[in-house]
Amino acid sequence: MLAGELVAELEGVLRGANVEQARREAGDMIAAIVDGPRFWAAEHRDEIVAPIIVERARAAALRRAGGAPFAYAVGRAAFRHLTLQVDERVLIPRQETERLVDEVLARVSSGVVADIGTGSGAIAIALASEGRFDRVIATDVSTAALRVAAENVRRCSGALRCPVELRAGSLLIPIFGTRMDAIVANPPYIAHTEARELPASVRDWEPPTALYSAEGGLRDTARLIRQAPDVLGPGGLLAIEVDARRSGQVAAMARAESRFRDVIVRPDLTGRDRILLATRVDE
């Protein structure tokens, strides 16, 4: 089958399921599966596609037509310069979260960094491949998510400048006893009562443990703020992605913690206040 013919076939499947911009998604789907640039299918429209690629593309189109988010349908997601394996065991990495990595890289240049709730490993692998750290520790309460992260660490091993160590456990428990130079986290921060406001592609597909937090969406964030000073070294950085609707509350929590200074909230790539930064006071 020619690439152009495959695009037309996938487009028909997606259009039949009322997927918007079906033709564009059909091309993007093939490009993701061959791990090529976005316009791969258009540039190779008159070339024969390998049978295994046709099989995978058809399966992805059926999953997408069944309601799966694009990233889950093709099994891949882009984050910064990385292409990561993703499935329903992990949250899909968002472009907005890339700003969180920028903030850490701008403020911390060495030492040991922890990515709490790593999921696919996106933040941890980005830091390990772009920074100059001694090591990055990536933790998650979900052992299923850690298996995805382990595969992504393996796939990206050639780009890593330091080791990425995976640890299982809730929030900061896996790093208690280890002195950290920075802690970065994208914790669950959606209140259970807000589930109905989410798009079906998020609510019905992404892992609930990575989306929802008790106490109005603030429980996990509050625990990170309380516990982080116990493992951060003097001058250590805490960087957390937060819900823009509650960024003021989160900042107040951090300012109320006497072991933090220089508490600020920074915008993400869309301009919303979603990145909390706080520095551990000197001892």
Side-chain angles (χ1 to χ4, degrees):
M1 175 176 282
L2 301 180
E5 295 172 336
L6 182 56
V7 169
E9 179 183 323
L10 301 185
E11 179 187 1
V13 173
L14 299 175
R15 196 175 298 280
N18 297 316
V19 174
E20 295 182 8
Q21 298 180 316
R23 186 167 186 80
R24 190 195 72 183
E25 280 210 14
D28 290 349
M29 195 168 283
I30 297 169
I33 291 170
V34 302
D35 198 19
R38 183 173 182 183
F39 298 105
W40 187 93
E43 293 172 350
H44 297 79
R45 59 174 291 106
D46 296 321
E47 298 178 21
I48 295 176
V49 179
I52 186 63
I53 299 300
V54 174
E55 180 183 342
R56 290 176 180 174
R58 285 171 170 166
L62 289 175
R63 282 175 55 79
R64 183 73 176 111
F70 182 87
Y72 288 162
V74 300
R76 294 184 178 181
F79 186 78
R80 296 179 74 83
H81 63 285
L82 305 169
T83 300
L84 302 171
Q85 173 183 304
V86 296
D87 57 34
E88 291 89 332
R89 292 173 289 178
V90 298
L91 197 72
I92 298 171
R94 265 70 170 181
Q95 186 178 17
E96 304 95 284
T97 303
E98 295 183 9
R99 190 77 178 89
L100 187 62
V101 174
D102 286 330
E103 294 289 352
V104 176
L105 291 173
R107 289 168 169 77
V108 185
S109 57
S110 62
V112 182
V113 178
D115 172 25
I116 306 301
T118 194
S120 65
I123 292 173
I125 296 170
L127 290 172
S129 60
E130 297 181 52
R132 296 288 184 180
F133 306 109
D134 297 327
R135 60 177 166 147
V136 176
I137 301 173
T139 78
D140 206 293
V141 70
S142 168
T143 55
L146 286 175
R147 286 193 288 272
V148 178
E151 175 61 19
N152 282 324
V153 170
R154 185 194 66 78
R155 288 164 56 93
C156 300
S157 59
L160 301 181
R161 293 176 172 175
C162 72
V164 175
E165 178 184 334
L166 302 177
R167 297 185 185 182
S170 178
L171 295 178
L172 300 185
I173 291 175
I175 61 170
F176 282 160
T178 305
R179 185 56 63 92
M180 309 304 303
D181 294 279
I183 294 171
V184 57
N186 179 14
Y189 51 68
I190 299 172
H192 292 280
T193 56
E194 296 166 344
R196 60 184 178 274
E197 301 172 15
L198 297 175
S201 60
V202 175
R203 182 183 62 246
D204 299 341
W205 288 87
E206 300 199 56
T209 55
L211 292 172
Y212 306 113
S213 184
E215 299 173 16
L218 291 170
R219 183 184 66 180
D220 294 275
T221 300
R223 287 182 177 177
L224 286 169
I225 291 171
R226 287 197 304 268
Q227 297 173 1
D230 295 330
V231 292
L232 281 172
L237 176 71
L238 174 65
I240 309 177
E241 182 171 310
V242 301
D243 191 317
R245 296 169 296 182
R246 291 182 273 273
S247 60
Q249 290 177 262
V250 174
M253 289 180 192
R255 292 186 179 110
E257 169 54 67
S258 61
R259 293 175 291 175
F260 280 128
R261 59 175 171 82
D262 300 332
V263 175
I264 59 173
V265 178
R266 298 280 292 162
D268 66 9
L269 290 174
T270 66
R272 295 177 295 171
D273 288 338
R274 292 184 60 203
I275 301 172
L276 173 82
L277 302 170
T279 303
R280 177 72 159 85
V281 299
D282 297 335
E283 295 177 342

